[in-house]
Amino acid sequence: MIPLPVVVCVLGGWCAIYIADTVLKSSSLKECYEEWLASYGLSVSPFHVRWQTAFFNRLFYNWGRWKPRFLYLWFNIGMIFGIAAMFGSVVLLGKTLTQTVSQMLTENPSSQNDQMLQVVVPGVNLPISQLSYFFTAILISGIIHEVGHGVAAIREQVRFNGYGIFIFIVYPGAFVDLFTTHLQLISPIQQLRIFCAGVWHNFVLGVAGLVVLFFLPAILYPFYYTGAGALVTEVTQDSPANGPRGLFVGDLVTSLQDCSVYSVEDWNACLEKMYRKPQTGYCIKSSILQQLSFPIRGFKRLDGTVECCNNNSLTDVCFSYSNKLNSHMTQYACLPARKTIEASELCQTNKDCLKYFIPSTCVTPSLENQTKLIRVKHPPQIDMLFVGHPLHLQYTVSLSSFVPRYSFLTLDLPLIMETFCKYLISLSGALAVVNAIPCFALDGQWILNSFLEATASKFIVEKQNRELLGFLILLAGSALLAANVALGLWIVTAR
């Protein structure tokens, strides 16, 4: 959950701003204070501060008059996309609502990962450490969104009054101030170009982020190379991989068992494969097996597996193997894990060991539940032997596919760029989808009204009837969005 000190700081900060604003407006300094706010374009209300300026107006007018034919084509494409996004967002929200209700009924939290849209709650499904990515991506997405509206409005000869940025509680955003009378006088098609420009620019921004993410290895090629393995950038203190013979920052992981690792994606895929498949065995010479093993008395765990080693042992692992004379008879031996695994080939049955022409036996670690024994290669260091759940290794070790060419380069730069691109793609895309929904106070409201005026006027002659139809659709869209947000919050916080 969200740390209590963060909540206290946010609420305390807003209370202090509100009290200071109220006191100044009630004191003898009221006129000076209000003049100061007006001179800087500031306005203050509970949990909301906004700043507006005309400083960028000349820049917006230059953009709006640049290459008229290109902008005409650009915003026409944006209009088509915005209309399609309005209908598509309704379908997407309907599908998301169906998935959420199904998840609530089946109580299967894993299905949440399949949803394209999810409610984000800092500290719950958004790590506190990544809040800077989240808010920066939101701010940039909002700025590009409003730039689209502003440039489109100027191209359609609508007066542009100013541009601004606001903060609502902790969420940043942007806005443009357009002359409403001009906006109402232009044709519905022109209005559609303006109203659809925001979601169109969010879509373009998301595609641009996707392109940068795809070509990131080429962009960073002069400084970082890829395809050599997964570079360890962080190991948490409570990680099972943290220790003298564990993983360290700067280690390059090249394989997990017999699964080669060339990137972070390979690392995750290998761990997922090991989680789903049975534990791999190891071919050990029969003579060595007799030499290392000794009479033991095993006991069954609660899950039915057998433990045959001292529970306090940090080096020995209980292995099971089939008797060659009686393949249905399983025997157990407590063996030193490193000696058993090193220089041993992988196997599943004794037949896999026959190809080495040396009497060998396939021994398999006898471990409880989903625990696995995994051999992690990170040369030139000695191999790490990990005993535990594969997902624990995945969640407690951070890696990067980018290896620096020079020692002075930081390990974090590619990860920062990659993470930021992913947030920008997700949040800019989400902003496009949400704003396109036919819902009160969103772009979708104005897109729908202009769309009905442009298309339905021939079929529904009375404007009052068109407005009634638009109101009913907006009511349904608002209810759909509210249901998704409410149930999404419940799923995220109640689980």
Side-chain angles (χ1 to χ4, degrees), residues 246-300:
L247 297 175
F248 296 90
V249 173
D251 286 354
L252 190 64
V253 178
T254 57
S255 69
L256 300 172
Q257 299 285 63
D258 60 338
C259 187
S260 298
V261 174
Y262 300 104
S263 64
V264 177
E265 290 74 19
D266 292 338
W267 163 274
N268 293 328
C270 290
L271 288 176
E272 183 72 19
K273 175 182 175 183
M274 292 173 186
Y275 167 68
R276 297 188 180 280
K277 289 192 173 182
Q279 172 67 58
T280 304
Y282 303 89
C283 290
I284 182 174
K285 294 179 182 179
S286 300
S287 57
I288 296 178
L289 176 62
Q290 294 177 358
Q291 179 183 351
L292 295 177
S293 62
F294 51 88
I296 48 90
R297 184 177 179 181
F299 63 90
K300 278 194 175 183

Side-chain angles (χ1 to χ4, degrees), residues 266-341:
D266 292 338
W267 163 274
N268 293 328
C270 290
L271 288 176
E272 183 72 19
K273 175 182 175 183
M274 292 173 186
Y275 167 68
R276 297 188 180 280
K277 289 192 173 182
Q279 172 67 58
T280 304
Y282 303 89
C283 290
I284 182 174
K285 294 179 182 179
S286 300
S287 57
I288 296 178
L289 176 62
Q290 294 177 358
Q291 179 183 351
L292 295 177
S293 62
F294 51 88
I296 48 90
R297 184 177 179 181
F299 63 90
K300 278 194 175 183
R301 303 186 185 96
L302 294 177
D303 63 347
T305 58
V306 174
E307 174 60 73
C308 60
C309 290
N310 187 341
N311 289 334
N312 297 325
S313 175
L314 298 177
T315 59
D316 297 340
V317 172
C318 183
F319 288 84
S320 65
Y321 60 96
S322 299
N323 191 314
K324 291 187 176 182
L325 298 178
N326 185 358
S327 60
H328 298 288
M329 179 180 177
T330 303
Q331 294 181 298
Y332 298 90
C334 183
L335 305 174
R338 190 167 294 277
K339 288 184 178 180
T340 303
I341 292 176

Side-chain angles (χ1 to χ4, degrees), residues 30-66:
K30 177 182 178 181
E31 291 185 4
C32 295
Y33 175 62
E34 289 181 344
E35 287 180 3
W36 179 80
L37 288 177
S39 64
Y40 285 96
L42 293 170
S43 62
V44 181
S45 58
F47 299 103
H48 186 268
V49 173
R50 58 183 263 166
W51 168 73
Q52 182 176 339
T53 180
F55 180 80
F56 301 105
N57 285 20
R58 183 180 296 273
L59 183 62
F60 271 89
Y61 275 101
N62 289 336
W63 287 343
R65 293 163 181 168
W66 177 76

Side-chain angles (χ1 to χ4, degrees), residues 382-402:
I382 190 172
D383 295 351
M384 182 187 80
L385 300 184
F386 170 80
V387 179
H389 199 292
L391 295 183
H392 293 168
L393 195 59
Q394 187 174 14
Y395 293 146
T396 59
V397 178
S398 299
L399 303 105
S400 172
S401 300
F402 297 86

